[in-house]
């Protein structure tokens, strides 16, 4: 049985029963992030309890400064241009890219911030984050724009996609992004990358039990792994419970965020790395997909 666990800092909350993520952050004894985001529809849930509404939705893109917005527009233009000659996204229109990719990518920042503060007891202003199976740079490139203090590593195994990512990084003028062309299984056994990151993220890459073996070996003990999933991932999470435990982690929480997907929401599955991953993981390239851990 998967049990909901969420460590809470010793913070005095307002007496009102209605509080938001912004109020939560305001009362923390930490410095404020460099980028401020409006409230979103953030629902914290477990597999055994009802969901609870915390805040209401709003556009994250509109909170970015003019320079950040320009960087995002440069990215969107490049994405659609390159998409004419290679498969980067099924979305063909600017408005769709903004709604389904940009807003979705920005929407995972508050769950990262909330969980990192309450469970890792560190400031989230300067963290090392790895985007596994980055593809077209989603969400990694967008996180790098919105949070310039974060050091972002984009991991992608396909050379053509890496060429696009490198082009986008130069075009957007990002100095906090590194592109690595390699399989996640190999990086997880490389001492330069193994357990070196504060947070790993993955969006639309693989099943949760496969993602656990891809991503968690890269996360330091005490760090987080966030997988962006669909509106109803409970069965997928249950089937991945053993794989997550084998990697030295546990489910911290599931956060539902509003999305422009057909179902109107996505789920951020957040895992906390409790102990070092055994050296035998990740297994050889291709094995996690062919023979997933159950």
């Amino acid at each position: 049985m998967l049990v909901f666990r969420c460590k809470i800092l010793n913070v005095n909350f307002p007496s009102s029963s209605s509080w938001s993520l912004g109020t939560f952050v305001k009362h923390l004894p930490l410095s404020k992030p460099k980028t401020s985001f409006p409230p979103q529809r953030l629902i914290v849930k477990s597999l055994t309890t009802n969901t609870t509404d915390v805040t209401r939705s709003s556009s994250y893109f509109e909170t970015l400064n003019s320079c950040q917005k320009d960087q995002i527009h440069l990215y969107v233009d490049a994405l659609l241009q390159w998409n004419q000659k290679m498969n980067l996204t099924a979305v063909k229109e600017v408005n769709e890219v903004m709604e389904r990719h940009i807003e979705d990518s920005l929407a995972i920042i508050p769950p990262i911030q909330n969980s990192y503060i309450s469970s890792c007891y560190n400031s989230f202003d300067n963290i090392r984050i790895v985007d596994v199976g980055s593809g077209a740079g989603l969400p990694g490139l967008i996180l790098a724009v919105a949070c310039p203090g974060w050091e972002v590593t984009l991991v992608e195994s396909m050379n053509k996609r890496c060429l696009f990512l490198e082009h986008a990084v130069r075009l957007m003028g990002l100095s906090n992004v590194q592109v690595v062309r390699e399989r996640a299984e190999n990086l997880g056994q490389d001492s330069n990358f193994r357990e070196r990151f504060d947070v790993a993220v993955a969006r639309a890459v693989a099943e949760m039990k496969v993602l656990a073996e891809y991503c968690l070996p890269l996360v330091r003990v005490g760090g987080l792994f966030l997988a962006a999933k669909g509106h109803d991932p409970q069965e997928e999470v249950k089937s991945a419970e053993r794989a997550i435990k084998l990697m030295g982690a546990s489910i911290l929480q599931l956060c539902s965020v509003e999305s422009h997907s057909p179902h109107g929401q996505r789920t951020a599955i957040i895992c906390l790395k409790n102990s070092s991953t055994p050296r035998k993981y990740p297994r050889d390239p291709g094995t996690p997909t062919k023979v997933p851990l159950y």
Side-chain angles (χ1 to χ4, degrees):
M1 178 76 63
L2 185 60
V3 179
F4 172 79
R5 301 196 308 159
C6 185
K7 299 179 182 177
I8 302 296
L9 287 176
N10 185 19
V11 179
N12 294 322
F13 293 101
S15 58
S16 171
S17 61
S18 176
W19 59 278
S20 68
L21 178 58
T23 303
F24 176 82
V25 174
K26 179 179 178 182
H27 285 78
L28 288 170
L30 295 171
S31 59
K32 293 181 180 180
K34 296 175 181 176
T35 302
S36 298
F37 292 94
Q40 71 169 132
R41 183 179 178 84
L42 179 63
I43 302 172
V44 180
K45 61 186 178 180
S46 73
L47 300 189
T48 58
T49 61
N50 294 326
T51 62
T52 303
D53 237 341
V54 177
T55 53
R56 295 188 177 182
S57 63
S58 185
S59 169
Y60 285 105
F61 178 77
E62 292 305 320
T63 69
L64 301 178
N65 62 41
S66 59
C67 179
Q68 291 170 321
K69 289 180 179 179
D70 288 343
Q71 289 175 307
I72 296 293
H73 286 308
L74 287 171
Y75 167 77
V76 172
D77 289 344
L79 174 65
L80 293 176
Q81 182 181 1
W82 280 59
N83 199 52
Q84 295 176 14
K85 55 185 177 182
M86 58 187 295
N87 183 26
L88 290 170
T89 176
V91 179
K92 308 295 183 183
E93 301 296 331
V94 172
N95 288 342
E96 282 190 281
V97 174
M98 293 300 297
E99 292 179 351
R100 296 181 58 182
H101 290 326
I102 306 304
E103 288 288 355
D104 269 16
S105 295
L106 292 171
I108 70 172
I109 296 177
I112 293 174
Q113 292 177 341
N114 185 23
S115 299
Y116 198 77
I117 290 172
S118 62
S119 300
C120 304
Y121 305 103
N122 288 316
S123 168
F124 50 73
D125 286 348
N126 304 101
I127 64 175
R128 296 188 64 191
I129 189 165
V130 58
D131 179 10
V132 177
S134 187
L138 301 162
L141 276 177
I142 310 307
L143 301 182
V145 171
C147 304
W150 293 6
E151 295 180 27
V152 180
T153 297
L154 309 178
V155 176
E156 174 55 50
S157 62
M158 293 184 62
N159 186 58
K160 288 184 178 180
R161 290 178 179 173
C162 286
L163 292 175
F164 167 75
L165 293 174
E166 290 166 352
H167 169 75
V169 169
R170 291 192 300 269
L171 183 68
M172 300 162 74
L174 296 174
S175 60
N176 60 330
V177 177
Q178 174 188 19
V179 179
V180 178
R181 187 175 76 85
E182 186 57 273
R183 293 188 65 108
E185 300 99 319
N186 291 331
L187 285 188
Q189 293 292 352
D190 186 329
S191 60
N192 293 316
F193 295 91
R194 184 180 177 88
E195 298 191 336
R196 298 289 184 179
F197 296 93
D198 300 301
V199 178
V201 297
R203 180 177 182 265
V205 176
E207 285 189 77
M208 191 66 190
K209 55 179 171 281
V210 177
L211 283 180
E213 191 168 356
Y214 284 166
C215 297
L216 282 166
L218 298 170
V219 178
R220 68 170 176 83
V221 175
L224 300 175
F225 162 45
L226 183 148
K229 288 292 182 178
H231 76 292
D232 187 22
Q234 280 85 349
E235 288 303 317
E236 183 177 348
V237 173
K238 283 183 179 179
S239 70
E241 189 176 7
R242 181 172 178 269
I244 293 168
K245 184 176 180 180
L246 286 173
M247 297 303 117
S250 60
I251 297 287
L252 183 65
Q253 61 185 11
L254 279 67
C255 297
S256 293
V257 295
E258 275 199 356
S259 166
H260 291 275
S261 69
H263 294 284
Q265 71 176 42
R266 293 177 65 84
T267 304
I269 304 168
I270 304 173
C271 301
L272 176 66
K273 184 78 171 279
N274 304 304
S275 59
S276 292
T277 301
R279 286 299 314 183
K280 64 181 178 179
Y281 300 116
R283 294 167 293 169
D284 291 339
T287 304
T289 302
K290 294 176 183 176
V291 189
L293 297 169
Y294 288 95

